[in-house]
Amino acid sequence: MRTWRQARAELVRVTFTDQLGHSVSIDHPPECSLMEAAVENEITGIEAQCYGAAVCGTCHVYVGPQWLEAAGEKSEWEQAMLDALPLARAESRLSCQIVLSDRIDGAGFILPERQESLE
Amino acid sequence: MEIPENVPADRVIDLDVYNPAPELDDPAQAWKALHARDEALLWTPRNGGHWVATRGSSIRAILEDHESFSSNVLMVPRERGLSNLLPTAADPPRHRPFRMVIQQAFTPASVRSREEGIRALSRDLIARIAPLGQADFMRDFASRLPTGVFLQIADLPTEHFDLLYGWMEAVMRPDGSADQGELMQRFADYLLPILTERKANPGGDVISAIATARIEGQPITQDDAVNMATTLLLGGLDTVAALMSFVWDHLARDPALQRLLADSPERIRDAVEEFCRRFPVGTNTRITARDTEIDGVTIHKGDLVTTPQILHALDEREYPDPLRFDIDRQTGGYSSFGHGVHRCPGSFLGKMELRIALEEWLAAIPAFGIAPGARVRVTPGVTAGIFSLPLTWPAAA
């Protein structure tokens, strides 16, 4: 069995920055969603009301431009959800649909001004 | 039974997904044996005849694609499809408003506010059995914790505990003798007066949220409200109990893991993730909404497809040495809570219940084992679990 210290070396680091410019970096084991990592680390601003079903729109993030490709493809469903979010922009994603992996190790995400739940 | 023309003969196997290996105490090896074949989609004539997704890739693809695979049938055979459950059996766009009502009770913020209540409940249950040095884990703990948590979330009196507990026993009864229709009627008879009362005097609980919901601008109908509340009962009680039964069975046979988690409680979160990967409890069903090609075969509109979650967990293409519990494994991506729009709204709560239960149990009972001579059997079914799990430990002097 590997030791805890060795296991920690495989953590993925991501940074969330809010609209006031405050940043929080977290280190989390990979393969879960970015949303789950954010919730586990109690990132204020990720509500994740539906916790991963991509039906509520409250885990919305803006992806730094250099990380958009690494964050992976959007499904049609996710795009339709984003189209319905008032604060969404071209670089918007639902963090529950981004896999936390070494591809986004070091990536930065901007939190929107507020999360708005779709009815 | 006759094999449909779109099923290639070499895809046909003889498998009852709700009882894959009646001769085995633990069907995990029988499930794993299906991976001797390369295909990711097979077909069985049992339970009315249906496809079975056998790999992580096909299970994920089917559950993520709600346009091709409808949730209008949730069990095989289709006569038992549970097609009234809400929001579970509804497809988008009808699905969303119902889901939004129910999930308010399960947001991470809402669940976190319940942590101390769940911890108090766990401590109380453990305090009753710890001095005895023995317990039946399912009877004395695993079935009681989620029932108690449900009573809290639904703001129901603790006197209802025995009633709900009895139903859970019926749902999980090893011989499968519980009559589905009769059970659904009992749920409805229980829930309707409560919904009616909460509609008149709503509180902050999930039953009140259902009773007073507006769907597409209209007050929710009585039938829809009953179906939503029934789904909550069905989804949140036996699943958590079943998961915990597998976890404690595994722990009871692994003293090194007991020591690791008792000495390093901060590792319980990692253990919870790997337990959720290794011990999924359910099998989902979908009905094909349009002809769809998967894994080189065409599934016809109207065909039923099942996705036994354990076949993802045990797929060596996804997880090396998959039968082994490995707390250091990169364990994400599993299908234990489903995928797509119907992904379990209670997964955050369920994982928290498991974590708190482990923390409190190991603090009080750090070393325990299976009772000598006990025969431990996995009870197969729509939800698989270990119905009777006798444990022993050194009783306090």
Side-chain angles (χ1 to χ4, degrees), chain B residues 123-196:
Chain B
R123 282 186 182 157
D124 178 50
L125 291 170
I126 293 165
R128 289 189 214 182
I129 53 176
L132 306 177
Q134 59 172 322
D136 185 286
F137 183 73
M138 181 58 91
R139 184 193 64 207
D140 298 328
F141 189 82
S143 57
R144 293 182 179 269
L145 182 62
T147 310
V149 171
F150 181 84
L151 292 174
Q152 289 181 359
I153 291 176
D155 193 20
L156 292 168
T158 46
E159 300 93 86
H160 290 199
F161 188 98
D162 289 337
L163 194 63
L164 297 183
Y165 174 74
W167 287 338
M168 182 150 56
E169 269 200 305
V171 170
M172 296 197 71
R173 198 176 295 156
D175 59 6
S177 64
D179 178 81
Q180 189 191 82
E182 189 199 329
L183 210 52
M184 292 295 130
Q185 191 55 51
R186 269 194 270 169
F187 286 155
D189 292 344
Y190 168 71
L191 291 165
L192 186 55
I194 297 169
L195 284 160
T196 306

Side-chain angles (χ1 to χ4, degrees), chain B residues 84-248:
Chain B
N84 292 329
L85 293 187
L86 285 169
T88 322
D91 295 321
R94 181 167 176 257
H95 159 262
R96 194 207 309 271
F98 294 105
R99 169 82 185 219
M100 298 302 278
V101 171
I102 237 168
Q103 73 194 21
Q104 296 305 318
F106 300 101
T107 65
S110 164
V111 170
R112 279 215 174 89
S113 72
R114 301 195 174 277
E115 173 152 3
E116 286 318 305
I118 297 172
R119 195 173 294 282
L121 200 56
S122 301
R123 282 186 182 157
D124 178 50
L125 291 170
I126 293 165
R128 289 189 214 182
I129 53 176
L132 306 177
Q134 59 172 322
D136 185 286
F137 183 73
M138 181 58 91
R139 184 193 64 207
D140 298 328
F141 189 82
S143 57
R144 293 182 179 269
L145 182 62
T147 310
V149 171
F150 181 84
L151 292 174
Q152 289 181 359
I153 291 176
D155 193 20
L156 292 168
T158 46
E159 300 93 86
H160 290 199
F161 188 98
D162 289 337
L163 194 63
L164 297 183
Y165 174 74
W167 287 338
M168 182 150 56
E169 269 200 305
V171 170
M172 296 197 71
R173 198 176 295 156
D175 59 6
S177 64
D179 178 81
Q180 189 191 82
E182 189 199 329
L183 210 52
M184 292 295 130
Q185 191 55 51
R186 269 194 270 169
F187 286 155
D189 292 344
Y190 168 71
L191 291 165
L192 186 55
I194 297 169
L195 284 160
T196 306
E197 196 272 324
R198 298 282 164 94
K199 191 174 178 179
N201 302 295
D205 62 283
V206 68
I207 304 284
S208 294
I210 293 170
T212 59
R214 296 185 74 82
I215 304 294
E216 307 285 355
Q218 300 297 316
I220 191 169
T221 67
Q222 183 174 295
D223 282 353
D224 285 353
V226 167
N227 287 332
M228 281 182 78
T230 300
T231 307
L232 274 188
L233 274 174
L234 277 176
L237 299 184
D238 62 324
T239 50
V240 181
L243 169 62
M244 289 203 296
S245 72
F246 284 114
V247 169
W248 264 256

